[in-house]
Amino acid sequence: MSRGHAWVLGATGQIGRAAVRALTGDGWEVTAASRGGGRDEGWDPGVRAVALDRDEEGALDKALGDGCDVLVDLVAFDGAHARQLTASAGRIGSAVVISSGAVYEDERGRGFDTQAEPDGFPRYPVPLPETQPTVAPGDATYGTRKIRLERELLAAGEDLPVTLLRAGAVHGPHCRTPRELYVVKRLLDGRRRRVLAYRGESRFHPVHVSNAAELIRLAAGKPGSRVLNAADPEAPTVAEIASAIDTVLGRETETVLIDGAPPEGHVGETPWSGAHPVVYDMTAAGEQLGYRPVTGYVESLPETVEWLAGELAGRDWREAFPKLLRGYGEGLFDYAAEDAWLAAYDRGRR
C-alpha cells in the first residue's frame, strides 16, 4: 500500500539520489524532478523522472498538477524559493527542505561568513543545538539567504508544515565539492607527507547522504513545522579523517602537525580546518523523528573513496570538480608550497 505521492526537487543531486531510494523503499510513489530529468541506476523502476527548472516562471506550479502529499526540496536557497513553495501550499501536504548549518552565529556574532576575518572563526557550544542564534536574514550570503528561506517557510507553517534540515558537511558519492578529495588525491599522487593546521584537531561535523536521506524519510512520515540539525553520529577530527582514508587505500602517511592556523598561504589548511569545533547536537532529531543514523563516517568511506578515485581516473581534478575549484581555489593542491614549507621545517629540526 502506497504511503502517498512524494515529489523530490533536485533528485539527481547528491542527497536527492539517496532520498529517492529511501522514500521508495518506505512505500512512497516518487516523482524525481531535476533540470535534466535524469535517473539514478539505483532507483526503483517505478520512479517517475521529470525535467524541471524550478527557477523558470510558473514551471513548478504547472508541473505539480494536482499536487503531492510531501515535497522534498533539496535546491531551495532563498526567500524566492520559499514563496514558490508557499504559493502552492494548497496542493502540497507537507514539505521537507534542506537548509544549512551556515545559518548559525556565536555570541559575538561570528559565523561562517566571518571565517576569513582576524579571529573570525565562530566559537559555538559543543554540541551546537538548533536553539543557537542565527545570522540575520538577507540576500548577501549563502547563510543569510538560507535563514530567510527558513523564516518565510516557518511563518507559513499553518498552511504548509515544513521540516527544515540544517545539514552539516555533506559527504558520499556524487558530491560536487567532496572534501575527502583533499586526502584522496594526495595519496593517489604518491604524497607521503601531509601538513595539518590546528594540530589536525579541527572538527566540522559531516553528514553522509544516507543519513540525510533517512532524516528526509522520517520527516516525510511525520509532518510538522520544525528545524532540525542533520549530521552523522560522530564528528571526527581532520587527523582521524585522514588516517581513516589512509586505511581505506592501504597507505601510510607521515603527518606534520602545526600549532594554530596555517603558517603561510594554504599550507596545512583543509576543507575541514577551523580554529574551533563545529559539532551539531542531534538530540532533537532523535526525539522528534526517532532518527537513528544509517551509517557512520568511517564505515561510509570505502564507497566514497572508490567513487572519488573513479571520477579522477584520466581527468584533472579541476575538470572533475569545478565547483570545488571555485570554492577552494588552486591552493587546495599547491604541492610546491607544501614542499617548500616542509623543506624549511626539516632544516629547522636539524
Side-chain angles (χ1 to χ4, degrees):
M1 179 178 176
S2 171
R3 299 197 63 173
H5 185 192
W7 259 73
V8 179
L9 295 182
T12 56
Q14 183 185 20
I15 297 176
R17 294 168 187 262
V20 170
R21 290 194 297 270
L23 289 167
T24 54
D26 202 28
W28 292 87
E29 297 176 31
V30 177
T31 295
S34 64
R35 287 192 176 187
R39 302 181 62 88
D40 183 275
E41 61 183 16
W43 289 350
D44 184 278
V47 172
R48 184 171 72 101
V50 299
L52 172 68
D53 181 353
R54 63 98 50 79
D55 291 323
E56 180 182 327
E57 183 70 28
L60 175 60
D61 192 59
K62 180 179 179 181
L64 277 172
D66 293 333
C68 61
D69 298 290
V70 62
L71 186 143
V72 178
D73 196 341
L74 307 168
V75 286
F77 297 107
D78 54 27
H81 290 156
R83 292 187 289 276
Q84 190 181 56
L85 297 184
T86 56
S88 300
R91 290 182 295 143
I92 300 172
S94 67
V96 184
V97 178
I98 293 293
S99 185
S100 169
V103 302
Y104 291 118
E105 68 177 13
D106 70 8
E107 60 183 12
R108 291 174 52 185
R110 297 174 300 187
F112 284 17
D113 294 334
T114 64
Q115 292 180 74
E117 301 173 9
D119 193 29
F121 199 91
R123 188 187 290 270
Y124 297 129
V126 178
L128 174 58
E130 292 87 347
T131 53
Q132 179 73 13
T134 61
V135 298
D139 298 316
T141 69
Y142 177 75
T144 61
R145 290 193 295 272
K146 278 289 193 180
I147 199 63
R148 172 164 284 176
L149 166 78
E150 286 191 11
R151 292 189 182 180
E152 293 198 20
L153 287 173
L154 291 173
E158 290 188 6
D159 298 317
L160 178 63
V162 58
T163 297
L164 289 145
L165 298 174
R166 291 176 176 167
V170 183
H171 65 104
H174 304 289
C175 184
R176 296 172 64 195
T177 55
R179 292 170 175 84
E180 288 72 18
L181 189 72
Y182 180 88
V183 180
V184 172
K185 176 172 163 53
R186 280 171 166 75
L187 294 176
L188 295 179
D189 289 343
R191 307 286 289 180
R192 291 295 177 260
R193 302 178 82 187
R194 61 172 157 255
V195 185
L196 298 179
Y198 305 107
R199 298 197 58 78
E201 295 172 351
S202 297
R203 290 195 290 166
F204 183 15
H205 208 153
V207 57
H208 188 262
V209 289
S210 63
N211 287 332
E214 175 67 0
L215 284 160
I216 290 168
R217 181 189 74 83
L218 292 169
K222 295 182 179 180
S225 289
R226 56 174 82 91
V227 176
L228 297 172
N229 288 331
D232 287 345
E234 67 283 313
T237 66
V238 174
E240 290 169 340
I241 289 171
S243 177
I245 295 175
D246 283 355
T247 299
V248 171
L249 287 174
R251 309 293 175 88
E252 292 185 6
T253 307
E254 176 192 350
T255 301
V256 178
L257 302 176
I258 300 172
D259 290 322
E264 54 187 70
H266 297 280
V267 175
E269 183 178 25
T270 77
W272 302 276
S273 293
H276 310 296
V278 179
V279 180
Y280 299 112
D281 189 339
M282 292 302 296
T283 303
E287 292 176 347
Q288 297 185 34
L289 297 181
Y291 169 67
R292 298 293 181 271
V294 173
T295 188
Y297 186 84
V298 173
E299 294 89 335
S300 72
L301 270 179
E303 181 186 25
T304 301
V305 171
E306 180 181 6
W307 178 78
L308 283 171
E311 292 297 298
L312 286 177
R315 285 203 292 175
D316 185 277
W317 75 275
R318 289 159 289 206
E319 176 192 353
F321 301 106
K323 188 175 180 181
L324 188 74
L325 174 64
R326 291 194 298 271
Y328 293 97
E330 298 276 357
L332 198 62
F333 299 106
D334 190 347
Y335 294 162
E338 284 181 15
D339 290 341
W341 186 88
L342 283 167
Y345 170 81
D346 291 339
R347 288 193 298 272
R349 298 173 66 195
R350 291 174 187 162

